[in-house]
Structures are given as C-alpha cells and as structure tokens.
Amino acid sequence: MEPNRKTDTFPVMGMHCAACAHNVERMLLGVDGVAAATVNLAAATVAVDYDPARATPEAMKAAVGRAGFGLITEDPDTAERQKAEAERRYRRSLSRRCMVAWCLTAPLMAVMLLAHTAWTDWLALALTLPLLAYSTWPFFTAAVRAARAGQTNMDTLVAVSTGIAFLFSLAGTLLPDAWTARGLTPPCYYEATAMITAFVLTGKVMEERAKHRTGEAIRALMGLQPRTARVVLPDGTEADRPLAVLAKGDRIRVRPGEQVAVDGRVLDGTSAVDESMISGEPLAVEKAAGDAVLAGTVNGRGTLLVEAREVGATTVLAGIVKAVHDAQGSKAPVERIVDRVTAVFVPVVLGLALLTFIVWLAVGGWDALPRAVLSAVSVTVIACPCALGLATPTALMVGIGRGAQAHIYIKDAVALEQLRRVDTVVLDKTGTVTEGRPEVVSRHDEPGLTPADLALLRAMEQRSEHPTAEAVAASLTDVSAPAPAIEAFESLTGRGIRATAAGAVYWAGNERLAADMGCPVAVPDADGLTHVFFGRGEHLLARFAIGDRVKPHSAEAVGRLHRMGRQVVLLTGDNAASAAAVCRATGIDHYEAGLLPADKEAAVRRMQAEGRVVAMAGDGINDSQALAAADISVAMGRGTDIARSVAQLTLMTSDLRLLPQAIRLSERTVGTIRRNLFWACIYNAVGIPLAAGALYPLWGLTLTPAVSAACMAFSSVSVVTSSLLLARGRL
C-alpha cells in the first residue's frame, strides 16, 4: 500500500445479498480517492483502501447513502454498538413482517376458495392491501435500488410478480364491467402476492438467524480473555490492572484457578495448566520456570509468576480470533441457486411480456389492444415465481427438519450446497474421533498387590496435581478396602509422587521415577498411551496405561466415508504415537500430529490449494481456525460453544456416523432443489409461449390469466410435494 493511503473497515447497514454488496462497492469506488473497496457480507463490513487527503469517511458515507445503505464511520466501539442495535432492529422488523404476511395469507387463501363474487374480491383486496403496504413494500424499495445500479435480483422478481399480480387483480376489482363486457372474467390473483411475500420472508428470517449465530462466534472468542491481570509492581506490591494497559515485560501473578492473561514465560512456581482451549488435548500440562504459557489457558492448583512476552492483539488467542474473522469473510458468498436462475429469468420474462404486447399490436393493430394487454399480463402471471420461490425454501426446510430428526443441525443452505462436494474429510482427534477425556484403558497387577495398596494409591493420587492423577483415582473408585494413613507425602516434579505409609515407601509415576526407586521398567514404543507405574520400595505393584479412548462408532463412520469415496485425514495437537494408534484403530488414511491451531488451519489451506474440497470436523476452540478456513465446517454437539458457533453443521450427539449421513442428506436436498427448479422452469418454458398466444393463430389456443394462475398454482403444489419426499427414506 502506498504511504499516503490507509485502509479502514466500516460497518455497513442494509446489505442482504451479493447484489447489495456489489452496489456498496460500486458506490465507494466512485468516490474520488478510493482505490479499493471489499465488502465482507457475512460480517456486514467494508474494507476501504483510500487516500485520506482526497477521500473522507463523510464522503464515503454520503455515497453509500445514495444507494440506500448506511455506512457507520464513528469510532470502533460506537460503530459496533450502532451496528448491533441496527441488526437487532432489522431482525425484529423482518420477523414482524413475516408474521403479518402469514397471518394475512391464511385467511386470504380461505377467501379465494369461496365462490368468485364481487364481495369476495373486495374482501381479498382488503386483506392484501395491509400485507402489500407492510410486508411486501421493502421488496419494492430494494428492487428500485437494484434497478438504479443496473441489476436485477430476487427482490426484483418478487417486486415485479407481486406488483403485476396485484395491479392486474386491482383492475379486475375496480373495473369488473370492463372485463365482463368483453366476455372475460375479472381477474383476481391476490393470493399470488401473499404467497410469494410470505415464503420469501420466511427464507430471509432463516438466513438472518444463521448470520447472527455466525457473528456470535467472534464475540464468544473475545469473551475467553480475562478482563484484568494481577501485576507485580517494581516495589513488590501487586495490583489488578486492565488488559489494555499491560505491556511486554510486565510480571503477572497467576493464582490457582485463574486464566492466564498474556502469552509469556514462567519466572517462578509450578502448576498444571489446562491448555485444552488452545491445544484441544484433555490432559493439563505441567509448567515450571522457563516454560511458555498462553493467554486464555486456565491455571491449576499452583501459583505462577509470568513475564509477559505478548499482550493484547499479539497473543495466540487474539490471533485465533482474527483468523476466524478473516476466514469467515474471505469465503466467497455462495450465491443461492434461485438467485442464479432469476438473474437471467427476470429480464427474460419482462422482455417476453413486452415482446408479446408489441407483436399482438403489430399483427392486429389497436383493435388487438385488449388481447395484447391480456396476453402480456398472462405471460407475467404464469411466470410468477411461486414455484421458483418455493423450490429452495421448501426443500431447505424439509431437509433441515429431516436432519434434525437424525440429530444433525444445519445452519443454512450454504452447508447443504457445499457438503455434497466434499472429497476430503479432516477430523480432529480429541473429542471428535476419541471420547475427549483421559481414562485408564488397561491395568496390569503384579504379584503382591493388595486391595489396601490400591486404596492407598487412590488416596495418594487424590492429593496429586499431576494431570493423570484424576484418571488413576477414578479407576479405583470401586476399591472398598481401607487405606493406611499417609505419614508423609512428596510431589516429584516431572516424575510423579511418593508417600510413606505403614512404615513403607510407596510411589507412583513415570519410568524415570521407577528407575530412581530401583525398579526399572520398559515402556511400550509407539502405543500412544501414558504409562503410570505404582510400587512399594523396589517392588513394582501395578501398571496403568492411560489414554483417550476411540469412540465406539468412529471406525464405522470412517469406513462409510471411504465407501462414499471420501479421503479421511486426522489433524491433532497430540503426539505422533497417539495419532498413529488412533489411525490404526479407525482406518483413517493419514495424520498430522503436534499441530497448533494455526498449523491446523495451514494444513486445511494446503489441501484446498491442491484442489480438494475440505470438510473439517472438530469440537474445541483450538479447531475454530481450521473450521473457519474449511469449505464446510462441522462441530461435535458436545464440543465448545465456539466450535459450534463457527461451524455450519453440528452433530448434536457427537456420533461421527452422523457425518456421512449429513453428506447423504446434502446430496438428496440439493438434488431436490435442482429437480424443483427444473420442473418450475419447464412449466414456464411450456406455459409462457401458450400464454403469449404462440398457438392462437393455428388453433385459437391461448391461456387466460385465470388458467395461467391455475398452472402456476399446480407448479407450486408439485414443487412442495417433491420437497416433502425428502422426509422419507433412510440417510
């Protein structure tokens, strides 16, 4: 970037589709001094690269305002509050307009089922007017904005179809004699206006809810950071200070149970620190002088004195927050299937209606004016996008409902559209493939071990702060023998624990402690387990193997993914031995071990650079970066709120077998949407020429608006019926 340019990010209000984003970018690029403008539709922001000597935020705000959008240029805190409030107001307004639309549509449909009389037409008009004025009106204003930018979109389609249907019906209601005098039935198609409005608003409400949940991911990540830290001052006194005033080199006291506020190095003290929110691994990590600690991690029972190395925006946790935000924004907005169809469909239909009108006048002269108007309107009515408008939301609603029955929570159509294209499934290990908690997977008792010895071991481990102690103690809960009184207890950093009871020395720890006690032991190579040895003096009494069990159905899920033609990759922060053991147990193709959150993201992006379409499944905060970077993100239902917020898809029972079921559901749902759109277009391909009068010169055959409306209604019924079939059959 040139020295005289700067880049600022501003919240934008009023954007609801890719066309809106394009309009905002176009208006900003028209401001003198603006070199580039990039909209992040998911975050509702725009990054503007500009020359502050020529372009000002006020000029940019005015330019965006002319297109009907709002640019918030105040300071970041004020802008964020204004944006959040504006989004809340829009969601409430959208929900109210949707509710009003359905409340008026239901009785309107009942009225239209009655015999067609003048009073039913007036009653239908009375029901339609408030719906049009309140629920449908924003579509008209949005269509006008798009027209000013030289574009058409779904708003244009809704505005044109509802407007034509209403105006045509209004003409029939106000001037019935003008129609009956020519042997025609006064048109009445108010239900078309109501149906289109209600269904489209329902889809918009669903989209806004999904967008709001996505935004919660960033807010939740930021909430992991403590608000204050206890700083050790130069005179030795301590005081709580807000994070904003911390600097590199500050000494921070981290007391038992507190979160670490900075990335730093331990100066004094020992403790076990829970780093699962960063590494994803369930075992806490012992820390002593010289070891590194990370912001957001949770201290155990000890007290640590930490020297700050990175603070604020430069910590690893802050980097995760930024990476999730950037990855969400960098994903190209997935254009809805209907938007792609209607981008061509709307101008083509309008052109055909105009062409129909001109041809009738050219052939029949002014005497043919009634027929010209009637045929042009028939073309517009039969092309009314009820079927197109229903094709996606009905299939989506049924598909999401079918997924919910199978405990698969899908946020939006993006997940359904992309999941079927996945050829590589990336899995986190802990909590996704495995149970996510350490436990004793095997125990070998040596001769001489007594129940009293095991009771004593349980008492010793309950005193220990070692990460494996809880797992060993939990495995001994069924021991009923009384434990001898512990006369002395000692924690041996990096080795284990030792106690004196009943005149004997008991110990529990790793192979180094066993060797020190005169009882050398062999540790199995590459089994991926943590081994704890228990002995009395020089005698070994028991061996414990501690690990994270593979879930019962993980191997079955991997096998099904293989049969579906998907490659499966394991990414884990754990060691290579543990990763290899899990791959052997489940049949996973490949693994990468010892990864930090940024490494997982880099691995996902590397696969994408190779041309793969990647789905990432994880359950922890440490997975959120990779989840945001993946083409499709999957969270386990028992995982962290952060993983579920970032993910587009959540497996509510944490059963990995749901993932291949979700892929199958994606294939069936998208197939239904495409089939619906195909038949909706076929109806138009056949009906539009008939409505235009293509067969009238040969056989006098044409479609009146009433017949056109009936055809339109039949196409809608067929689309809904097709969508309902999604609820049947196994996944």
mmCIF file of all heavy atoms in Angstrom, residues 569-608:
data_model
loop_
_atom_site.group_PDB
_atom_site.id
_atom_site.type_symbol
_atom_site.label_atom_id
_atom_site.label_comp_id
_atom_site.label_asym_id
_atom_site.label_seq_id
_atom_site.Cartn_x
_atom_site.Cartn_y
_atom_site.Cartn_z
ATOM 1 N N VAL A 569 -8.547 -37.569 6.866
ATOM 2 C CA VAL A 569 -7.262 -37.121 7.409
ATOM 3 C C VAL A 569 -7.461 -36.715 8.865
ATOM 4 O O VAL A 569 -8.459 -36.082 9.213
ATOM 5 C CB VAL A 569 -6.705 -35.926 6.605
ATOM 6 C CG1 VAL A 569 -5.396 -35.436 7.207
ATOM 7 C CG2 VAL A 569 -6.511 -36.311 5.145
ATOM 8 N N LEU A 570 -6.491 -37.083 9.723
ATOM 9 C CA LEU A 570 -6.527 -36.730 11.146
ATOM 10 C C LEU A 570 -5.528 -35.605 11.405
ATOM 11 O O LEU A 570 -4.351 -35.713 11.047
ATOM 12 C CB LEU A 570 -6.173 -37.945 12.002
ATOM 13 C CG LEU A 570 -6.281 -37.773 13.523
ATOM 14 C CD1 LEU A 570 -7.742 -37.767 13.946
ATOM 15 C CD2 LEU A 570 -5.530 -38.886 14.242
ATOM 16 N N LEU A 571 -5.999 -34.514 12.031
ATOM 17 C CA LEU A 571 -5.130 -33.416 12.457
ATOM 18 C C LEU A 571 -5.250 -33.294 13.971
ATOM 19 O O LEU A 571 -6.353 -33.157 14.492
ATOM 20 C CB LEU A 571 -5.538 -32.096 11.810
ATOM 21 C CG LEU A 571 -5.499 -32.008 10.285
ATOM 22 C CD1 LEU A 571 -5.890 -30.604 9.830
ATOM 23 C CD2 LEU A 571 -4.117 -32.363 9.751
ATOM 24 N N THR A 572 -4.124 -33.337 14.687
ATOM 25 C CA THR A 572 -4.186 -33.326 16.139
ATOM 26 C C THR A 572 -3.009 -32.570 16.741
ATOM 27 O O THR A 572 -1.918 -32.518 16.162
ATOM 28 C CB THR A 572 -4.209 -34.769 16.691
ATOM 29 O OG1 THR A 572 -4.231 -34.729 18.120
ATOM 30 C CG2 THR A 572 -2.995 -35.550 16.240
ATOM 31 N N GLY A 573 -3.238 -32.000 17.912
ATOM 32 C CA GLY A 573 -2.171 -31.382 18.680
ATOM 33 C C GLY A 573 -1.432 -32.385 19.539
ATOM 34 O O GLY A 573 -0.427 -32.053 20.164
ATOM 35 N N ASP A 574 -1.904 -33.620 19.565
ATOM 36 C CA ASP A 574 -1.274 -34.669 20.352
ATOM 37 C C ASP A 574 -0.029 -35.183 19.630
ATOM 38 O O ASP A 574 0.272 -34.801 18.500
ATOM 39 C CB ASP A 574 -2.280 -35.803 20.585
ATOM 40 C CG ASP A 574 -2.001 -36.560 21.876
ATOM 41 O OD1 ASP A 574 -0.906 -36.393 22.432
ATOM 42 O OD2 ASP A 574 -2.882 -37.317 22.319
ATOM 43 N N ASN A 575 0.670 -36.111 20.276
ATOM 44 C CA ASN A 575 1.913 -36.625 19.700
ATOM 45 C C ASN A 575 1.650 -37.628 18.587
ATOM 46 O O ASN A 575 0.529 -38.140 18.430
ATOM 47 C CB ASN A 575 2.786 -37.251 20.797
ATOM 48 C CG ASN A 575 2.067 -38.397 21.502
ATOM 49 O OD1 ASN A 575 1.827 -39.454 20.935
ATOM 50 N ND2 ASN A 575 1.698 -38.170 22.766
ATOM 51 N N ALA A 576 2.703 -37.927 17.823
ATOM 52 C CA ALA A 576 2.570 -38.803 16.656
ATOM 53 C C ALA A 576 2.180 -40.219 17.045
ATOM 54 O O ALA A 576 1.430 -40.889 16.324
ATOM 55 C CB ALA A 576 3.875 -38.810 15.862
ATOM 56 N N ALA A 577 2.671 -40.695 18.186
ATOM 57 C CA ALA A 577 2.336 -42.058 18.601
ATOM 58 C C ALA A 577 0.848 -42.202 18.860
ATOM 59 O O ALA A 577 0.215 -43.183 18.441
ATOM 60 C CB ALA A 577 3.140 -42.435 19.847
ATOM 61 N N SER A 578 0.258 -41.221 19.556
ATOM 62 C CA SER A 578 -1.183 -41.274 19.814
ATOM 63 C C SER A 578 -1.972 -41.189 18.519
ATOM 64 O O SER A 578 -2.961 -41.907 18.333
ATOM 65 C CB SER A 578 -1.589 -40.122 20.743
ATOM 66 O OG SER A 578 -0.992 -40.266 22.006
ATOM 67 N N ALA A 579 -1.549 -40.317 17.618
ATOM 68 C CA ALA A 579 -2.242 -40.167 16.342
ATOM 69 C C ALA A 579 -2.182 -41.452 15.528
ATOM 70 O O ALA A 579 -3.178 -41.876 14.934
ATOM 71 C CB ALA A 579 -1.640 -39.005 15.552
ATOM 72 N N ALA A 580 -1.007 -42.068 15.484
ATOM 73 C CA ALA A 580 -0.857 -43.307 14.718
ATOM 74 C C ALA A 580 -1.733 -44.411 15.299
ATOM 75 O O ALA A 580 -2.333 -45.203 14.554
ATOM 76 C CB ALA A 580 0.608 -43.733 14.708
ATOM 77 N N ALA A 581 -1.815 -44.475 16.637
ATOM 78 C CA ALA A 581 -2.645 -45.505 17.263
ATOM 79 C C ALA A 581 -4.116 -45.315 16.910
ATOM 80 O O ALA A 581 -4.834 -46.282 16.628
ATOM 81 C CB ALA A 581 -2.451 -45.461 18.777
ATOM 82 N N VAL A 582 -4.580 -44.074 16.896
ATOM 83 C CA VAL A 582 -5.969 -43.802 16.535
ATOM 84 C C VAL A 582 -6.227 -44.169 15.077
ATOM 85 O O VAL A 582 -7.269 -44.733 14.732
ATOM 86 C CB VAL A 582 -6.307 -42.317 16.796
ATOM 87 C CG1 VAL A 582 -7.652 -41.952 16.177
ATOM 88 C CG2 VAL A 582 -6.324 -42.027 18.288
ATOM 89 N N CYS A 583 -5.289 -43.854 14.192
ATOM 90 C CA CYS A 583 -5.451 -44.196 12.773
ATOM 91 C C CYS A 583 -5.523 -45.701 12.576
ATOM 92 O O CYS A 583 -6.310 -46.191 11.762
ATOM 93 C CB CYS A 583 -4.311 -43.593 11.957
ATOM 94 S SG CYS A 583 -4.408 -41.805 11.773
ATOM 95 N N ARG A 584 -4.698 -46.428 13.317
ATOM 96 C CA ARG A 584 -4.742 -47.892 13.197
ATOM 97 C C ARG A 584 -6.073 -48.440 13.671
ATOM 98 O O ARG A 584 -6.620 -49.390 13.097
ATOM 99 C CB ARG A 584 -3.602 -48.517 14.009
ATOM 100 C CG ARG A 584 -2.224 -48.360 13.398
ATOM 101 C CD ARG A 584 -1.224 -49.284 14.081
ATOM 102 N NE ARG A 584 -1.089 -48.989 15.502
ATOM 103 C CZ ARG A 584 -0.217 -48.135 16.024
ATOM 104 N NH1 ARG A 584 0.603 -47.474 15.210
ATOM 105 N NH2 ARG A 584 -0.161 -47.925 17.325
ATOM 106 N N ALA A 585 -6.626 -47.829 14.717
ATOM 107 C CA ALA A 585 -7.882 -48.330 15.281
ATOM 108 C C ALA A 585 -9.090 -47.995 14.416
ATOM 109 O O ALA A 585 -10.102 -48.706 14.472
ATOM 110 C CB ALA A 585 -8.081 -47.761 16.686
ATOM 111 N N THR A 586 -9.013 -46.944 13.621
ATOM 112 C CA THR A 586 -10.187 -46.482 12.876
ATOM 113 C C THR A 586 -10.073 -46.630 11.364
ATOM 114 O O THR A 586 -11.076 -46.525 10.660
ATOM 115 C CB THR A 586 -10.458 -44.998 13.188
ATOM 116 O OG1 THR A 586 -9.299 -44.228 12.833
ATOM 117 C CG2 THR A 586 -10.763 -44.799 14.666
ATOM 118 N N GLY A 587 -8.863 -46.827 10.850
ATOM 119 C CA GLY A 587 -8.693 -46.915 9.400
ATOM 120 C C GLY A 587 -8.534 -45.577 8.712
ATOM 121 O O GLY A 587 -8.676 -45.476 7.490
ATOM 122 N N ILE A 588 -8.230 -44.518 9.467
ATOM 123 C CA ILE A 588 -8.003 -43.199 8.867
ATOM 124 C C ILE A 588 -6.776 -43.244 7.978
ATOM 125 O O ILE A 588 -5.762 -43.862 8.322
ATOM 126 C CB ILE A 588 -7.866 -42.130 9.978
ATOM 127 C CG1 ILE A 588 -9.203 -41.948 10.693
ATOM 128 C CG2 ILE A 588 -7.380 -40.800 9.416
ATOM 129 C CD1 ILE A 588 -9.159 -41.004 11.869
ATOM 130 N N ASP A 589 -6.856 -42.553 6.834
ATOM 131 C CA ASP A 589 -5.817 -42.671 5.808
ATOM 132 C C ASP A 589 -4.487 -42.035 6.205
ATOM 133 O O ASP A 589 -3.420 -42.582 5.931
ATOM 134 C CB ASP A 589 -6.301 -41.996 4.507
ATOM 135 C CG ASP A 589 -7.618 -42.571 4.029
ATOM 136 O OD1 ASP A 589 -7.667 -43.779 3.799
ATOM 137 O OD2 ASP A 589 -8.595 -41.809 3.895
ATOM 138 N N HIS A 590 -4.543 -40.852 6.826
ATOM 139 C CA HIS A 590 -3.321 -40.072 7.015
ATOM 140 C C HIS A 590 -3.479 -39.202 8.250
ATOM 141 O O HIS A 590 -4.593 -38.846 8.619
ATOM 142 C CB HIS A 590 -3.080 -39.185 5.773
ATOM 143 C CG HIS A 590 -1.917 -38.257 5.893
ATOM 144 N ND1 HIS A 590 -0.623 -38.699 5.958
ATOM 145 C CD2 HIS A 590 -1.861 -36.897 5.979
ATOM 146 C CE1 HIS A 590 0.197 -37.658 6.068
ATOM 147 N NE2 HIS A 590 -0.541 -36.552 6.094
ATOM 148 N N TYR A 591 -2.367 -38.872 8.903
ATOM 149 C CA TYR A 591 -2.452 -37.991 10.070
ATOM 150 C C TYR A 591 -1.297 -36.997 10.072
ATOM 151 O O TYR A 591 -0.237 -37.223 9.476
ATOM 152 C CB TYR A 591 -2.441 -38.792 11.377
ATOM 153 C CG TYR A 591 -1.105 -39.423 11.724
ATOM 154 C CD1 TYR A 591 -0.128 -38.697 12.409
ATOM 155 C CD2 TYR A 591 -0.817 -40.742 11.378
ATOM 156 C CE1 TYR A 591 1.097 -39.260 12.726
ATOM 157 C CE2 TYR A 591 0.401 -41.315 11.683
ATOM 158 C CZ TYR A 591 1.358 -40.567 12.361
ATOM 159 O OH TYR A 591 2.576 -41.113 12.655
ATOM 160 N N GLU A 592 -1.541 -35.873 10.760
ATOM 161 C CA GLU A 592 -0.503 -34.902 11.070
ATOM 162 C C GLU A 592 -0.632 -34.592 12.546
ATOM 163 O O GLU A 592 -1.723 -34.251 13.015
ATOM 164 C CB GLU A 592 -0.652 -33.630 10.236
ATOM 165 C CG GLU A 592 -0.436 -33.864 8.737
ATOM 166 C CD GLU A 592 -0.507 -32.565 7.940
ATOM 167 O OE1 GLU A 592 -0.059 -31.529 8.467
ATOM 168 O OE2 GLU A 592 -1.012 -32.596 6.804
ATOM 169 N N ALA A 593 0.484 -34.698 13.293
ATOM 170 C CA ALA A 593 0.441 -34.585 14.750
ATOM 171 C C ALA A 593 1.248 -33.384 15.232
ATOM 172 O O ALA A 593 2.014 -32.774 14.486
ATOM 173 C CB ALA A 593 0.970 -35.874 15.384
ATOM 174 N N GLY A 594 1.044 -33.051 16.516
ATOM 175 C CA GLY A 594 1.781 -31.961 17.135
ATOM 176 C C GLY A 594 1.444 -30.595 16.574
ATOM 177 O O GLY A 594 2.306 -29.708 16.512
ATOM 178 N N LEU A 595 0.192 -30.371 16.188
ATOM 179 C CA LEU A 595 -0.196 -29.144 15.499
ATOM 180 C C LEU A 595 -0.812 -28.125 16.457
ATOM 181 O O LEU A 595 -1.634 -28.470 17.300
ATOM 182 C CB LEU A 595 -1.210 -29.452 14.395
ATOM 183 C CG LEU A 595 -0.784 -30.469 13.329
ATOM 184 C CD1 LEU A 595 -1.893 -30.624 12.296
ATOM 185 C CD2 LEU A 595 0.502 -30.039 12.658
ATOM 186 N N LEU A 596 -0.431 -26.874 16.294
ATOM 187 C CA LEU A 596 -1.102 -25.761 16.959
ATOM 188 C C LEU A 596 -2.301 -25.333 16.114
ATOM 189 O O LEU A 596 -2.435 -25.768 14.963
ATOM 190 C CB LEU A 596 -0.125 -24.597 17.133
ATOM 191 C CG LEU A 596 1.025 -24.831 18.116
ATOM 192 C CD1 LEU A 596 1.997 -23.654 18.074
ATOM 193 C CD2 LEU A 596 0.513 -25.047 19.533
ATOM 194 N N PRO A 597 -3.188 -24.483 16.642
ATOM 195 C CA PRO A 597 -4.353 -24.055 15.854
ATOM 196 C C PRO A 597 -3.991 -23.495 14.483
ATOM 197 O O PRO A 597 -4.645 -23.802 13.485
ATOM 198 C CB PRO A 597 -4.991 -22.986 16.743
ATOM 199 C CG PRO A 597 -4.648 -23.410 18.126
ATOM 200 C CD PRO A 597 -3.269 -23.980 18.040
ATOM 201 N N ALA A 598 -2.937 -22.674 14.416
ATOM 202 C CA ALA A 598 -2.539 -22.102 13.132
ATOM 203 C C ALA A 598 -2.032 -23.181 12.178
ATOM 204 O O ALA A 598 -2.207 -23.081 10.954
ATOM 205 C CB ALA A 598 -1.465 -21.036 13.332
ATOM 206 N N ASP A 599 -1.398 -24.239 12.739
ATOM 207 C CA ASP A 599 -0.910 -25.333 11.896
ATOM 208 C C ASP A 599 -2.071 -26.108 11.280
ATOM 209 O O ASP A 599 -2.004 -26.549 10.126
ATOM 210 C CB ASP A 599 -0.038 -26.288 12.718
ATOM 211 C CG ASP A 599 1.183 -25.600 13.305
ATOM 212 O OD1 ASP A 599 1.718 -24.700 12.633
ATOM 213 O OD2 ASP A 599 1.573 -25.954 14.427
ATOM 214 N N LYS A 600 -3.138 -26.283 12.060
ATOM 215 C CA LYS A 600 -4.314 -26.977 11.526
ATOM 216 C C LYS A 600 -4.928 -26.181 10.377
ATOM 217 O O LYS A 600 -5.312 -26.737 9.344
ATOM 218 C CB LYS A 600 -5.352 -27.202 12.625
ATOM 219 C CG LYS A 600 -4.944 -28.225 13.677
ATOM 220 C CD LYS A 600 -6.088 -28.487 14.654
ATOM 221 C CE LYS A 600 -5.712 -29.542 15.670
ATOM 222 N NZ LYS A 600 -6.817 -29.855 16.594
ATOM 223 N N GLU A 601 -5.024 -24.865 10.571
ATOM 224 C CA GLU A 601 -5.552 -24.025 9.501
ATOM 225 C C GLU A 601 -4.676 -24.116 8.261
ATOM 226 O O GLU A 601 -5.176 -24.232 7.131
ATOM 227 C CB GLU A 601 -5.637 -22.573 9.963
ATOM 228 C CG GLU A 601 -6.151 -21.636 8.870
ATOM 229 C CD GLU A 601 -5.980 -20.170 9.204
ATOM 230 O OE1 GLU A 601 -5.375 -19.863 10.248
ATOM 231 O OE2 GLU A 601 -6.431 -19.331 8.405
ATOM 232 N N ALA A 602 -3.342 -24.077 8.456
ATOM 233 C CA ALA A 602 -2.421 -24.157 7.321
ATOM 234 C C ALA A 602 -2.571 -25.485 6.586
ATOM 235 O O ALA A 602 -2.503 -25.534 5.351
ATOM 236 C CB ALA A 602 -0.982 -23.973 7.802
ATOM 237 N N ALA A 603 -2.783 -26.574 7.327
ATOM 238 C CA ALA A 603 -2.971 -27.882 6.696
ATOM 239 C C ALA A 603 -4.232 -27.904 5.846
ATOM 240 O O ALA A 603 -4.236 -28.444 4.730
ATOM 241 C CB ALA A 603 -3.027 -28.973 7.770
ATOM 242 N N VAL A 604 -5.312 -27.303 6.370
ATOM 243 C CA VAL A 604 -6.560 -27.239 5.604
ATOM 244 C C VAL A 604 -6.365 -26.429 4.323
ATOM 245 O O VAL A 604 -6.783 -26.835 3.232
ATOM 246 C CB VAL A 604 -7.693 -26.641 6.463
ATOM 247 C CG1 VAL A 604 -8.911 -26.311 5.601
ATOM 248 C CG2 VAL A 604 -8.084 -27.607 7.577
ATOM 249 N N ARG A 605 -5.702 -25.294 4.441
ATOM 250 C CA ARG A 605 -5.488 -24.440 3.260
ATOM 251 C C ARG A 605 -4.561 -25.115 2.253
ATOM 252 O O ARG A 605 -4.711 -24.928 1.046
ATOM 253 C CB ARG A 605 -4.939 -23.085 3.693
ATOM 254 C CG ARG A 605 -5.924 -22.279 4.528
ATOM 255 C CD ARG A 605 -5.536 -20.821 4.615
ATOM 256 N NE ARG A 605 -6.446 -20.066 5.443
ATOM 257 C CZ ARG A 605 -7.632 -19.621 5.041
ATOM 258 N NH1 ARG A 605 -8.053 -19.865 3.814
ATOM 259 N NH2 ARG A 605 -8.405 -18.918 5.865
ATOM 260 N N ARG A 606 -3.627 -25.888 2.744
ATOM 261 C CA ARG A 606 -2.735 -26.612 1.828
ATOM 262 C C ARG A 606 -3.520 -27.645 1.011
ATOM 263 O O ARG A 606 -3.301 -27.799 -0.194
ATOM 264 C CB ARG A 606 -1.633 -27.295 2.634
ATOM 265 C CG ARG A 606 -0.564 -27.963 1.757
ATOM 266 C CD ARG A 606 0.589 -28.476 2.586
ATOM 267 N NE ARG A 606 0.199 -29.507 3.533
ATOM 268 C CZ ARG A 606 0.144 -29.354 4.848
ATOM 269 N NH1 ARG A 606 0.452 -28.185 5.386
ATOM 270 N NH2 ARG A 606 -0.224 -30.347 5.635
ATOM 271 N N MET A 607 -4.434 -28.340 1.660
ATOM 272 C CA MET A 607 -5.269 -29.297 0.931
ATOM 273 C C MET A 607 -6.148 -28.579 -0.086
ATOM 274 O O MET A 607 -6.348 -29.067 -1.209
ATOM 275 C CB MET A 607 -6.148 -30.083 1.920
ATOM 276 C CG MET A 607 -5.381 -30.962 2.878
ATOM 277 S SD MET A 607 -6.500 -31.754 4.078
ATOM 278 C CE MET A 607 -5.343 -32.113 5.400
ATOM 279 N N GLN A 608 -6.690 -27.423 0.299
ATOM 280 C CA GLN A 608 -7.509 -26.660 -0.644
ATOM 281 C C GLN A 608 -6.687 -26.191 -1.837
ATOM 282 O O GLN A 608 -7.168 -26.184 -2.962
ATOM 283 C CB GLN A 608 -8.137 -25.462 0.077
ATOM 284 C CG GLN A 608 -9.194 -25.849 1.101
ATOM 285 C CD GLN A 608 -9.634 -24.680 1.952
ATOM 286 O OE1 GLN A 608 -8.840 -23.803 2.288
ATOM 287 N NE2 GLN A 608 -10.908 -24.659 2.328
#
